[in-house]
Amino acid sequence: QVQLVESGGGLVQPGGSLRLSCVVSRSISTVYAVGWYRQAPGKERDLVAVLTGIGSSKYADSVKGRFTISRDNAKNTVYLQMNSLKPEDTAVYYCNVVWSKGSNWGQGTQVTVSS
């Protein structure tokens, strides 16, 4: 069973930055895509950013220019750099990896943006 472990969440003031990490228990060098999603209380889980296996990326309009998704194949790790954070970015952030035969999710990490 593939495991994804997220870290890096926490409490940050508006305008601050956080970097989320997602360590995957197997090689991510041949994945179809890696992505970050978030779910705020009472809302559905939404796509934040996705990075395909060929290197193209896509972001939610609400985070464009502020968030950057990246991956380090040597470390089997996916990152989400979040800058200029806003209170509306508060949510549980989930890592997702899509393989040829399915996908896996992490357990989530809480991000709270508040003064």
Side-chain angles (χ1 to χ4, degrees), residues 92-104:
V92 178
Y93 284 71
Y94 297 91
C95 178
N96 174 259
V97 177
V98 181
W99 317 92
S100 61
K101 296 184 178 181
S103 67
N104 295 100

Side-chain angles (χ1 to χ4, degrees), residues 14-32:
S17 298
L18 285 174
R19 187 176 80 155
L20 305 184
S21 299
C22 172
V23 179
V24 186
S25 63
R26 59 168 283 187
S27 172
I28 61 171
S29 62
T30 58
V31 298
Y32 279 359

Side-chain angles (χ1 to χ4, degrees), residues 6-19:
E6 299 107 331
S7 62
L11 173 64
V12 63
Q13 292 186 343
S17 298
L18 285 174
R19 187 176 80 155

Side-chain angles (χ1 to χ4, degrees), residues 100-113:
S100 61
K101 296 184 178 181
S103 67
N104 295 100
W105 292 90
Q107 82 288 350
T109 185
Q110 176 70 46
V111 171
T112 302
V113 184

Side-chain angles (χ1 to χ4, degrees), residues 4-114:
L4 283 64
V5 180
E6 299 107 331
S7 62
L11 173 64
V12 63
Q13 292 186 343
S17 298
L18 285 174
R19 187 176 80 155
L20 305 184
S21 299
C22 172
V23 179
V24 186
S25 63
R26 59 168 283 187
S27 172
I28 61 171
S29 62
T30 58
V31 298
Y32 279 359
V34 295
W36 287 94
Y37 291 72
R38 67 186 181 187
Q39 186 168 20
K43 296 188 177 181
E44 295 184 351
R45 188 175 298 187
D46 292 325
L47 175 70
V48 175
V50 63
L51 180 62
T52 70
I54 60 173
S56 61
S57 60
K58 179 180 179 181
Y59 296 89
D61 288 342
S62 60
V63 307
K64 283 180 182 177
R66 300 188 297 123
F67 290 12
T68 304
I69 186 172
S70 62
R71 59 193 268 187
D72 185 334
N73 289 346
K75 296 181 178 180
N76 295 334
T77 301
V78 184
Y79 301 100
L80 184 68
Q81 178 67 44
M82 305 186 295
N83 300 326
S84 303
L85 283 161
K86 305 175 180 180
E88 51 264 43
D89 295 318
T90 295
V92 178
Y93 284 71
Y94 297 91
C95 178
N96 174 259
V97 177
V98 181
W99 317 92
S100 61
K101 296 184 178 181
S103 67
N104 295 100
W105 292 90
Q107 82 288 350
T109 185
Q110 176 70 46
V111 171
T112 302
V113 184
S114 174

